Amino acid sequence: MSAYQVESFGTTPEGVEVELYTLTNAGEVEVRITNYGGIITHLRVPDRDGELADVVLGYDSLSAYLEDSPYLGAIVGRYGNRIGAGRFLLDGVEYKLATNNGDNHLHGGLKGFDKVVWGAEPYSGDGETGLRLTYVSADGEEGYPGRLTATVTYILTNENELVIEYSAETDKPTVVNLTHHSYFNLAGHDAGDILGHELALAASRFTPVDAGLIPTGELRHLAGSPMDFRTSTPIGSRIEDPDEQLEFGGGYDHNFVLDDHDGSLRIAARVYEPGSGRVMEVYTTEPAIQFYSGNFLDGSNVGKDDAPYEHRSGFCLETQHFPDSPNQPHFPSTVLRPGERYESTTIYKFSIQ
Ligand code: GLA
């Protein structure tokens, strides 16, 4: 049977009460989500022997998320990834955004969608259990134009899929790029580095970046480079190769352009962890996926069960539009206008091999 439970997860410094929701499916998969940042705190899935492990990095307490979190498990918005120099032109007007990554704007700014309390209500579909989160971002928040009403629905299916449906509407032209920032380790959140995980990406091109991780504008074919994951390859096999792109990212931190994108739900990535047999597939309607190999983790964030999250102990697969699209007119548009509806779906599907 699918189940839904709520408990308190503490109170923010502003005195807002925050909850922790637990969704369980018929196959014992369990996901815990807090309405602070829409963060997935726990995700337990079986291995090839039926043993459950928690495969996402996270913290035990709200206070740890409030103190310092590298976007662990969070919803990222209003704009996932970077906007160069924290500014863009829209309909001839220049907008200046909060800069929180050198001179650039990253993941929605100083207080992005990962650091706000979302409204929450249970969602129930066809024998499935879910949580619907809503956040209204004020006109001018972090420098963005337009009052944006965003909804994110997490659904846990009995096919061991975690479905994430995003939607948004605005009252003035703005830009939107919502994503999800779980760090996965399919051997378990405390199992060490992810370099042995085998990754396949449905991408023949990526968007190379400059030293500040802003796309240069090029869509580069990745054949013959360490970026080539068209056939399943261990994450660690080329990560230390001499390669300018890997140097800029300190490893993988790049936007992969999905092949044959047409807005329909398609497979973007598949990850296999040989030790446990766990497999995660990512399906999305988005045109791209950011593959980040946890390069900024350095053991200073101590997670659940006192696990220090060391260098590359989790990886992110963030479905998205391309970074810096508001400044790169030949990239797929991220503009949302009044009367339009932003809609996006991503599925993380778990199985064994
Ligand atoms: C994204 C960015 C990275 C980094 C992480 C969080 O993946 O591209 O550079 O900011 O989020 O630390």
Side-chain angles (χ1 to χ4, degrees):
M1 266 302 288
S2 321
Y4 175 96
Q5 276 176 36
V6 194
E7 63 197 274
S8 169
F9 197 48
T11 308
T12 68
E14 298 79 34
V16 182
E17 286 187 30
V18 172
E19 321 276 17
L20 186 66
Y21 303 83
T22 303
L23 313 179
T24 318
N25 78 357
E28 286 189 304
V29 171
E30 180 190 279
V31 58
R32 293 188 177 193
I33 304 162
T34 167
N35 59 327
Y36 176 77
I39 292 169
I40 294 186
T41 61
H42 301 74
L43 177 56
R44 279 186 241 281
V45 300
D47 69 3
R48 60 164 77 89
D49 301 317
E51 291 287 323
L52 295 173
D54 186 352
V55 298
V56 291
L57 278 54
Y59 295 131
D60 288 316
S61 68
L62 176 64
S63 56
Y65 286 103
L66 293 168
E67 204 171 295
D68 175 30
S69 172
Y71 307 92
L72 296 180
I75 296 168
V76 175
R78 186 179 298 201
Y79 197 99
N81 212 280
R82 292 175 181 76
I83 297 180
R87 58 178 66 193
F88 63 96
L89 273 180
L90 178 57
D91 299 336
V93 180
E94 180 174 78
Y95 294 95
K96 290 193 177 139
L97 303 172
T99 50
N100 58 329
N101 188 246
D103 292 337
N104 301 320
H105 176 89
L106 174 67
H107 291 333
L110 296 165
K111 189 171 181 180
F113 290 8
D114 59 300
K115 296 181 186 69
V116 300
V117 179
W118 293 64
E121 57 182 348
Y123 166 87
S124 62
D126 224 359
E128 288 155 353
T129 168
L131 180 70
R132 173 157 289 168
L133 300 173
T134 306
Y135 176 64
V136 180
S137 170
D139 184 9
E141 193 173 281
E142 301 296 317
Y144 290 103
R147 178 179 193 265
L148 186 86
T149 304
T151 304
V152 177
T153 309
Y154 287 110
I155 303 162
L156 179 62
T157 74
N158 287 326
E159 285 71 51
N160 295 353
E161 298 162 316
L162 180 67
V163 180
I164 312 179
E165 291 177 352
Y166 305 85
S167 72
E169 286 178 5
T170 184
D171 68 355
K172 285 184 192 159
T174 190
V175 294
V176 190
N177 188 29
L178 303 179
T179 190
H180 175 73
H181 209 294
S182 271
Y183 290 70
F184 298 96
N185 185 328
L186 299 182
H189 76 101
D190 53 356
D193 72 59
I194 46 77
L195 300 175
H197 285 56
E198 297 173 19
L199 170 68
L201 295 172
S204 311
R205 293 173 301 168
F206 75 109
T207 50
V209 288
D210 65 17
L213 301 185
I214 302 297
T216 60
E218 186 190 354
L219 273 67
R220 187 182 292 171
H221 280 271
L222 42 65
S225 84
M227 297 289 155
D228 192 348
F229 285 95
R230 289 174 299 170
T231 55
S232 190
T233 308
I235 290 173
S237 66
R238 299 160 301 177
I239 201 166
E240 300 297 349
D241 281 9
D243 176 275
E244 186 181 63
Q245 287 298 310
L246 289 174
E247 280 158 31
F248 287 161
Y252 295 101
D253 193 352
H254 294 85
N255 175 65
F256 289 77
V257 179
L258 296 170
D259 293 336
D260 306 320
H261 173 256
D262 62 2
S264 65
L265 194 63
R266 285 168 173 266
I267 190 152
R270 182 179 195 272
V271 190
Y272 168 61
E273 200 283 301
S276 62
R278 290 192 185 88
V279 172
M280 182 177 82
E281 290 168 328
V282 185
Y283 297 81
T284 190
T285 58
E286 286 296 302
I289 193 164
Q290 184 85 8
F291 167 45
Y292 170 56
S293 52
N295 313 308
F296 293 123
L297 297 175
D298 61 4
S300 61
N301 298 110
V302 177
K304 292 172 282 193
D305 314 319
D306 294 326
Y309 292 141
E310 304 286 358
H311 194 217
R312 299 177 179 155
S313 58
F315 65 89
C316 303
L317 286 168
E318 304 155 62
T319 55
Q320 61 184 9
H321 273 57
F322 307 177
D324 200 34
S325 297
N327 293 310
Q328 311 241 11
H330 62 295
F331 286 177
S333 174
T334 53
V335 175
L336 182 72
R337 296 183 182 279
E340 296 174 348
R341 192 176 166 84
Y342 166 94
E343 279 183 327
S344 173
T345 301
T346 291
I347 300 178
Y348 295 94
K349 179 172 179 145
F350 296 90
S351 58
I352 48 166
Q353 175 184 320

